[in-house]
């Protein structure tokens, strides 16, 4: 096996600088599949429709608690997001805030419109009790890993994303389970490095992570080509009043109960450490578990300590292995209750 | 050729020394340059942390390092060193501070005696780069954020879990070793009744000791975390 599984790597001729730049340039835009583009177009239409359905704009009063100073902001109901509030408070606050805490209890995605007058806190990675932020970060890493898996394989490898389990930072790695049309694929060091580099490149595009709450029919329309997600959507919707929360980054869309971090620029060091084949009864091909480890950009760790984390992430993560039956409600990629 | 070993003549500094000195052009020429730097070195010894323009900080740092290392090397009974201190420290009470406070503080250091950070420049404002120059071991709170003591931060959570897993693995190995030793002991006792039980017991003890040694050696992760501090 060599790196030729991945897009664009085979096309790189040696010793010709001109060709390399051309290929890379092409590669940068070509790796988004037609299906992803359609999905993101649907997402865009739906979010536009929801924005227009707001109608008459009402004002809400948002109390901000925290540095640099407490303030009260007049925002628009169903339109303004915590990120809009953060922009009023300054660039530093806007760039570092990972997730908002509404009324001191509900974690709120930074790009999700606020629904009523409330008080918000903006959480970032270096706070005294960052457990919620860490979990959000880990979930977002899984989500972004899914985006990378979706984009980076060549057309002759059929990729169907399955799901990712509830984020658990203590397990040492974030996970995405995906179905590949490859039998007994054992990734080499080079392939893992290419995957990591793809993820780094993807995150350097600084895409915001958007959020949209839709009904089950629309979600089924978006994921009509993915048998796993199609199967998961009804049970997710049933436990969430018929609604499904979608997240979008770049052209990639996924289901998750959220919340996610604000922007892909928050990711600092990223390693995709290992890929395991799982024993499951899911039809249509083997399921592979992609594992990685990552740290936010604001946390700098020396390479020796980071290599310890990398080595740990190489071991199989003991999280629940997906099966044909039993979409468990502990599963984080499914909506359980509206915390997003 | 008999060439002098330079490191025996001049103390080796633990910072990067610029190959070319900055001129700091002024009416008095090179002496004026030294006078400027003298002000900065004096201020550094006096206040222990100063914020100033980057070139001046970088240049003065070399002289401050040299002064302290000479003071540590020769002590206060050396005429040349005392003259050096007299030149670089404009306020004479600081000569006492140099020999009585800074020398004891720094004599066991194997890193540089000063620390320099790039500081943000005011915006809008003059375009000069700014720096903060400080003596190590100063009484002020650290300028860098504390990423170690809060064990809830994501990297600390990951490192702590890695440490736990490593420990568990090592204990499992030790347990396996002891078990195999016990099995051997039982096996030997069954087959050969000639071997004295005491000998076997001692050999088993030594095995256990080996295993304990291996775990004390293997607290790598601990060390790494300490290094990080």
């Amino acid at each position: 096996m060599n790196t030729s599984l991945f897009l664009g790597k085979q096309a790189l001729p040696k010793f010709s600088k001109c060709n390399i730049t051309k290929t890379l340039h092409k590669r940068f835009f070509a790796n988004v599949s037609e299906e992803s583009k359609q999905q993101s177009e649907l997402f865009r239409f739906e979010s536009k429709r929801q924005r227009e359905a707001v109608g008459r704009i009402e004002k809400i009063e948002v109390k901000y608690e925290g540095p640099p100073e407490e303030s009260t902001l007049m925002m628009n109901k169903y339109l303004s997001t915590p990120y809009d509030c953060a922009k009023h408070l300054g660039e530093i606050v806007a760039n570092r805030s990972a997730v908002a805490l509404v009324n001191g209890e509900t974690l709120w995605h930074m790009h999700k419109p606020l629904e009523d007058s409330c008080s918000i806190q903006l959480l970032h990675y270096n706070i005294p009790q960052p457990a919620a932020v860490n979990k959000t970060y880990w979930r977002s890493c899984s989500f972004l890993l899914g985006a990378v898996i979706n984009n980076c394989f060549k057309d002759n490898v059929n990729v169907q994303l399955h799901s990712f389990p509830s984020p658990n930072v203590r397990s040492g790695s974030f996970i995405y389970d995906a179905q590949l049309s490859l039998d007994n694929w054992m990734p080499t060091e080079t392939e893992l490095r290419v995957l990591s580099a793809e993820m780094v490149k993807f995150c350097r595009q600084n895409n915001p992570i958007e959020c949209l709450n839709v009904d089950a029919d629309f979600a089924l329309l978006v994921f009509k080509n993915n048998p796993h997600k199609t199967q998961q959507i009804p049970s997710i919707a049933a436990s969430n009043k018929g609604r499904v929360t979608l997240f979008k980054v770049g052209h990639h869309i996924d289901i998750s109960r959220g919340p996610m971090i604000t922007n892909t620029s928050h990711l600092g060091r990223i390693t995709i450490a290992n890929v395991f084949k799982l024993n499951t009864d899911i039809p249509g091909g083997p399921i592979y578990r992609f594992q990685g480890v990552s740290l936010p950009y604001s946390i700098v760790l020396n390479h020796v300590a980071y290599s310890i984390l990398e080595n740990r992430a190489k071991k199989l993560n003991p999280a629940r292995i997906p099966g044909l039956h039993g979409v468990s409600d502990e599963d984080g990629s499914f909506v359980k209750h509206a915390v997003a | 050729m008999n060439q002098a070993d330079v490191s025996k003549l001049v103390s080796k500094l633990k910072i990067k020394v610029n190959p070319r000195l900055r001129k700091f052009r002024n009416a008095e020429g090179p002496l004026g340059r030294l006078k400027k730097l003298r002000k900065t070195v004096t201020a550094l010894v006096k206040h222990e942390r100063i914020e100033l323009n980057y070139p001046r900080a970088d240049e003065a740092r070399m002289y401050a390092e040299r002064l302290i290392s000479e003071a540590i090397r020769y002590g206060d009974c050396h005429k040349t060193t005392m003259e050096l201190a007299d030149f670089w420290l404009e306020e004479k009470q600081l000569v006492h501070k140099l020999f009585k406070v800074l020398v004891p503080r720094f004599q066991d250091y194997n890193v540089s005696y000063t620390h320099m950070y790039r500081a943000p420049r005011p915006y809008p404002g003059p375009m000069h780069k700014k720096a903060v120059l400080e003596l190590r071991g100063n009484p002020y709170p650290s300028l860098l954020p504390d990423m170690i003591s809060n064990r809830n931060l994501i990297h600390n959570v990951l490192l702590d879990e890695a440490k736990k897993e490593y420990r568990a693995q090592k204990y499992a190995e030790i347990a396996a070793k002891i078990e195999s030793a016990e099995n051997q002991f039982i096996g030997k006792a069954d087959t050969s009744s000639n071997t004295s039980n005491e000998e076997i017991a001692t050999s088993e003890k030594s095995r256990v000791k080996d295993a304990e040694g291996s775990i004390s050696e293997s607290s790598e992760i601990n060390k790494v975390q300490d290094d990080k501090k």
Side-chain angles (χ1 to χ4, degrees), chain A residues 125-130 134 137 169-170 172 295-296 298-299 301-302 309 312 315, chain B residues 145-147 150 152-155 157-159 161-162 164-165 169 221 224 227-228:
Chain A
Y125 302 100
N126 193 3
I127 53 175
Q129 293 298 335
N134 292 349
Y137 180 76
V169 181
R170 289 178 183 283
L295 289 177
S298 58
I299 288 175
L301 198 59
N302 64 60
L309 304 186
R312 181 153 180 258
K315 294 173 196 162
Chain B
D146 175 20
M147 304 300 265
N150 185 354
N152 295 320
L153 296 181
I154 190 163
H155 63 297
V157 170
L158 287 165
L159 281 172
E161 286 301 314
K164 251 187 226 168
E165 198 177 283
Q169 189 193 332
I221 296 174
V224 169
D227 287 349
K228 219 160 49 82

Side-chain angles (χ1 to χ4, degrees), chain A residues 78-307:
Chain A
Y78 295 121
L79 287 179
S80 304
T81 62
Y83 188 71
D84 293 326
C85 302
K87 281 197 284 190
H88 282 292
L89 300 163
E91 198 182 348
I92 291 177
V93 177
N95 285 344
R96 77 175 179 189
S97 301
V99 67
L101 190 66
V102 173
N103 292 332
E105 50 186 12
T106 318
L107 283 178
W108 200 272
H109 184 64
M110 286 290 282
H111 289 299
K112 189 181 176 190
L114 293 164
E115 289 167 359
D116 212 345
S117 295
C118 57
S119 68
I120 61 167
Q121 292 169 39
L122 300 173
L123 309 181
H124 58 97
Y125 302 100
N126 193 3
I127 53 175
Q129 293 298 335
V133 187
N134 292 349
K135 206 169 177 185
T136 308
Y137 180 76
W138 220 235
R139 182 186 293 121
S140 313
C141 286
S142 284
F143 167 59
L144 293 168
L145 178 59
V148 171
I149 297 166
N150 215 8
N151 287 343
C152 71
F153 284 96
K154 280 188 168 180
D155 288 346
N156 58 2
V157 182
N158 184 19
V159 181
Q160 294 289 0
L161 297 180
H162 188 278
S163 63
F164 55 92
S166 187
N168 181 6
V169 181
R170 289 178 183 283
S171 69
S173 52
F174 56 84
I175 318 173
Y176 209 109
D177 296 329
Q179 193 169 48
L180 304 181
S181 63
L182 294 168
D183 293 328
N184 296 320
W185 175 45
M186 302 279 279
T188 59
E189 277 289 305
T190 331
E191 283 172 336
L192 290 171
R193 209 168 297 136
V194 169
L195 272 172
S196 308
E198 285 296 318
M199 187 148 172
V200 171
K201 270 196 260 172
F202 183 73
C203 293
R204 293 277 159 83
Q205 291 175 17
N206 294 354
N207 289 318
I209 300 179
E210 294 160 52
C211 167
L212 195 63
N213 204 0
V214 299
D215 54 18
D217 294 337
F218 181 80
L220 283 170
L221 181 66
V222 171
F223 290 103
K224 64 176 189 282
N225 291 333
N226 187 325
H228 310 304
K229 303 270 180 201
T230 313
Q231 204 188 5
Q232 291 157 11
I233 285 167
S235 63
I236 298 165
S239 59
N240 191 36
K241 298 172 198 160
R243 307 290 286 177
V244 176
T245 316
L246 300 184
F247 283 89
K248 172 173 171 283
V249 61
H251 285 289
H252 175 76
I253 296 177
D254 207 344
I255 311 167
S256 170
R257 92 183 194 210
M260 300 276 183
I261 56 170
T262 316
N263 197 302
T264 56
S265 64
H266 286 207
L267 274 77
R269 290 184 90 156
I270 310 165
T271 312
I272 295 178
N274 214 342
V275 182
F276 291 98
K277 192 180 170 182
L278 299 179
N279 286 326
T280 57
D281 50 358
I282 295 169
I287 297 272
Y288 287 91
R289 173 162 284 182
F290 289 73
Q291 293 186 182
V293 66
S294 165
L295 289 177
Y297 76 99
S298 58
I299 288 175
V300 182
L301 198 59
N302 64 60
H303 69 276
V304 181
Y306 188 71
S307 73

Side-chain angles (χ1 to χ4, degrees), chain A residues 17-34:
Chain A
K17 214 174 179 180
C18 174
N19 271 342
I20 288 177
T21 46
K22 257 187 201 164
T23 328
L24 287 180
H25 181 255
K26 222 191 271 173
R27 151 127 189 56
F28 199 71
F29 295 103
N31 65 357
V32 178
S33 69
E34 209 48 46

